[in-house]
Amino acid sequence: MKNFLSYLKPHRFLLIISFLFCFISVAFSLIIPIFIGKAIDEMIGPNQVDFANIYPILLWILIFLTLSAVFSYFYEWIAAKLTQSVVKKLRDDAFYHLEYSSVVFIDTHAHGDLVSRIVSDIEQISNGLLEGFKQLYKGVITILITLIFMFFVNYILAFVVILITPLSLFVASYISKRNHRFFTKQAKIQGEIGAYVLEMIENQKIVKGLTYENQAIAQFKQQNQELYQVGCDAQFSSSLTNPSTRFVNNLVYTAVGIIGMLLMLQNASFIPLLTIGGLSSFLTYANQYTKPFNEISGVVTELQTALSSLKRVQELLHVQKEVDDGNQMIHHPIETIHFDHIYFSYDPNRPLIHDFHFTVKKGQKIAIVGPTGCGKTTMINLLMRFYDVNHGGIFINNQNIIQIPKADLRKSFGMVLQDTWIFHGTVFENVAYGKTNATKEEVIEACKKVHAHSFISRLPKGYDTIISATSGLSTGEKQLLTIARMMLRQPEIIILDEATSNIDTRTEKKINDAFDQMMQGKTIFVIAHRLSTIQSADQILVMKDGNIIEKGTHQQLLKQNGFYKKLYLSQFEHQELI
Ligand SMILES: Nc1ncnc2c1ncn2[C@@H]1O[C@H](COP(=O)(O)OP(=O)(O)OP(=O)(O)O)[C@@H](O)[C@H]1O
Ligand SMILES: [Mg+2]
């Protein structure tokens, strides 16, 4: 909460102004019943209407009404601006923390949950804040000013109203709690149904492939039935709000009317004089006095939801920025990368990398092969410092990478992973991502090199065609675009983690040739399951269970007659068959 107040602090001036405007607007509108009372007193019987006195009163009413409306207009405008500025900053900060959080944080949180913190939770806070301004702020001011005016008109009647206040509070809070319970449940089931539908849409081919449509429909119907039930309860419960509050209002109204009449008949000197006009103003106050209670209690539940959302967003804001205490820049060019007896595990109970020891020299093509789960991608994670080693160290030009600023380190690498990342945008934008100011010619050249140009030219608008992860591109085509994206950046060291696994072997070979040509003198790490890809590598590291078990060139490894040869033969035989 304290943190949140710091978001309001820069807007102190607007806050004070909005409070003032709200106060003036409410006070001006609440003063009107007093004038109406006075006007009534000027027309107490037939043919006794004193127009001369009534006109100025009407004029005052008009003036106050207009002023109240003007101030209310500006107040609403300020409230909206304030709320939106606060949530805008909150969203910016939350996204900033997310972008700079460590990969560990993102890997250990459900992604859908992180998205909903930035989108729906902040929306809840925005609603809470706006309602807080509109209803709470205004409600409290209205109650206070009404009380003041009531005391001004007649203090005995004012006490009567205050005595009935707990009843208004009780009814209002009971109703809002009940409504809140139903609405929370309704929102929860709606969320679940949304998630279910999304899952079914995203995986429709698998659902259809398993002919599981009927079961899916049955499960949906069950959830829908629950939503129906809670929807009915919520609607009914909220429809009771108005009659109940009207009932309390009427009680207050009647009590004020009866006691007011009795007071008018009294002649005791300690009782302030109550005219018909005075009683009528008072009845107006009594009539609207209980309204803000209902509004406020409605807001309280909204505020509770906003507060729990705020907690979730603040968790995000408290995420530590990725530790980045390196301050020694890399001395280019990178001559050596030395993995010095590395140990690492994601989970302390499941040892993964142990005693990985190897040196890579500038211009070498290093291939890493090995069974699924042996730790190939993990080595890349360590090199890029998405995770840090537990023991040992990685040295670039004899400089430990923990001393290098992460941005400087990562700038030197170009990575293409098995999971392609294509965002909603044109082909040009997708390829140019990562190199600001890339020209059209450069993009086309990169695409030609990776043999993506021909399929791009066949797209309806060529390089200007809008694409996205789910749009009609094949997985291999998406991989070609991500390779082109990396080519364009011309990084010093290239990492290909299963980057060509979905591309046909002929195109793959052509891309490899292109790599060999343009990347001369550059260091390349290639992780591949298809051994045909890596035969030209200077060194092939065969990994198993987090360690290097064999290393050498393709020919050397075949001669060794070990694990690599077995792997190679199994693929070779397979290829012979097809
Ligand atoms: N973020 C993570 N948190 C916890 N464990 C992980 C994480 N990433 C990978 N692992 C585990 O570490 C082991 C090595 O994973 P890694 O991704 O390095 O394998 P790989 O050799 O690249 O396999 P593949 O050939 O399938 O890509 C696996 O057992 C995997 O379950
Ligand atoms: Mg992998």
Side-chain angles (χ1 to χ4, degrees), residues 361-381:
K361 297 228 167 64
K362 181 170 184 292
Q364 279 188 323
K365 180 172 175 181
I366 304 297
I368 308 178
V369 298
T372 289
C374 70
K376 302 180 294 293
T377 301
T378 305
M379 286 315 300
I380 303 306
N381 283 342

Side-chain angles (χ1 to χ4, degrees), residues 222-419:
Q222 193 188 337
Q223 284 180 328
N224 203 13
Q225 174 66 24
E226 278 180 51
L227 185 60
Y228 160 79
Q229 195 57 47
V230 74
C232 288
D233 291 345
Q235 287 289 322
F236 179 63
S237 173
S238 69
S239 67
L240 286 182
T241 312
N242 264 338
S244 320
T245 51
R246 222 175 295 141
F247 177 71
V248 179
N249 260 353
N250 289 344
L251 274 186
V252 177
Y253 199 75
T254 317
V256 169
I258 294 172
I259 296 171
M261 263 172 2
L262 292 176
L263 285 179
M264 280 169 71
L265 299 176
Q266 291 294 319
N267 228 344
S269 58
F270 65 92
I271 296 175
L273 179 75
L274 188 63
T275 60
I276 296 178
L279 181 61
S280 116
S281 345
F282 211 98
L283 282 171
T284 316
Y285 287 131
N287 196 20
Q288 67 91 49
Y289 172 74
T290 48
K291 265 189 221 152
F293 286 102
N294 298 315
E295 279 154 13
I296 289 173
S297 53
V299 172
V300 168
T301 50
E302 184 104 20
L303 283 182
Q304 280 166 346
T305 324
L307 272 180
S308 52
S309 287
L310 184 62
K311 246 192 231 148
R312 282 165 51 78
V313 174
Q314 280 184 330
E315 258 171 42
L316 206 59
L317 296 179
H318 288 149
V319 172
Q320 289 289 324
K321 254 181 96 168
E322 208 177 358
V323 183
D324 191 7
D325 36 18
N327 53 11
Q328 298 174 16
M329 305 301 257
I330 297 177
H331 303 297
H332 294 281
I334 296 175
E335 296 290 346
T336 59
I337 301 175
H338 176 55
F339 297 87
D340 187 37
H341 299 286
I342 286 172
Y343 290 79
F344 174 78
S345 63
Y346 294 100
D347 169 1
N349 300 319
R350 266 180 66 201
L352 180 59
I353 304 289
H354 54 98
D355 206 19
F356 187 99
H357 190 81
F358 190 71
T359 306
V360 182
K361 297 228 167 64
K362 181 170 184 292
Q364 279 188 323
K365 180 172 175 181
I366 304 297
I368 308 178
V369 298
T372 289
C374 70
K376 302 180 294 293
T377 301
T378 305
M379 286 315 300
I380 303 306
N381 283 342
L382 296 176
L383 182 60
M384 297 289 280
R385 281 199 71 200
F386 295 139
Y387 290 81
D388 279 332
V389 295
N390 300 135
H391 290 288
I394 302 175
F395 294 82
I396 289 183
N397 289 348
N398 294 326
Q399 199 177 346
N400 195 327
I401 58 169
I402 56 169
Q403 294 164 344
I404 301 170
K406 283 182 179 170
D408 189 44
L409 176 76
R410 290 172 188 167
K411 251 193 297 197
S412 311
F413 293 91
M415 257 199 331
V416 183
L417 306 178
Q418 181 177 17
D419 299 325

